[in-house]
Amino acid sequence: QVQLVESGGGLVQAGGSLRLSCSASVNGFSISAMGWYRQAPGKKRELVAVFTERGGADYADSVLGRFTISRDNANNTVYLEMNSLKPEDTAVYYCNVEASSRATQRSYNYWGQGTQVTVSS
């Protein structure tokens, strides 16, 4: 099983910073990728940043230079450091984990519960 717990969201003024964290507990699975998505009201969920064992980190153009994704493999935790926040960053942020079953080697996606990030102007 794979379970994700997110934390770190909140209300911040434009130009401020927040750090999100997502901790994964796994049993019988091997994590192959971890990342962050977000969904603003009325919009589709979009990729923010991902970190993979094979391809390194990748970011949405809109957050390049402002957000940094990092990980702690020993604790199966992924972080998203968000700096110079803008009102357009306001969204619910979701942790996403790709994990493979050790038994079948099939990959599955898992989602965190979401954490609200609100940036005021």
Side-chain angles (χ1 to χ4, degrees):
Q1 63 178 14
V2 177
Q3 296 180 327
L4 309 178
V5 178
E6 300 181 33
S7 63
L11 175 64
V12 66
Q13 194 172 52
S17 300
L18 287 172
R19 189 177 75 161
L20 308 182
S21 65
C22 174
S23 296
S25 61
V26 298
N27 185 11
F29 287 79
S30 178
I31 294 174
S32 57
M34 302 184 77
W36 294 93
Y37 292 71
R38 67 186 181 187
Q39 187 168 18
K43 298 181 66 177
K44 292 286 188 179
R45 189 173 300 181
E46 64 178 352
L47 183 147
V48 177
V50 295
F51 193 97
T52 67
E53 294 288 341
R54 306 181 191 280
D58 198 10
Y59 299 88
D61 288 342
S62 60
V63 307
L64 270 175
R66 300 189 298 118
F67 291 11
T68 302
I69 187 171
S70 61
R71 65 182 179 180
D72 179 358
N73 287 337
N75 293 291
N76 291 323
T77 301
V78 63
Y79 303 92
L80 184 68
E81 181 182 350
M82 305 183 294
N83 300 312
S84 301
L85 282 162
K86 305 175 181 179
E88 49 263 46
D89 295 318
T90 296
V92 177
Y93 284 70
Y94 296 91
C95 175
N96 176 260
V97 169
E98 180 183 283
S100 299
S101 169
R102 293 174 183 170
T104 67
Q105 295 189 321
R106 289 190 63 185
S107 294
Y108 302 88
N109 282 312
Y110 298 87
W111 295 93
Q113 80 278 10
T115 184
Q116 177 71 47
V117 172
T118 302
V119 184
S120 62
S121 59

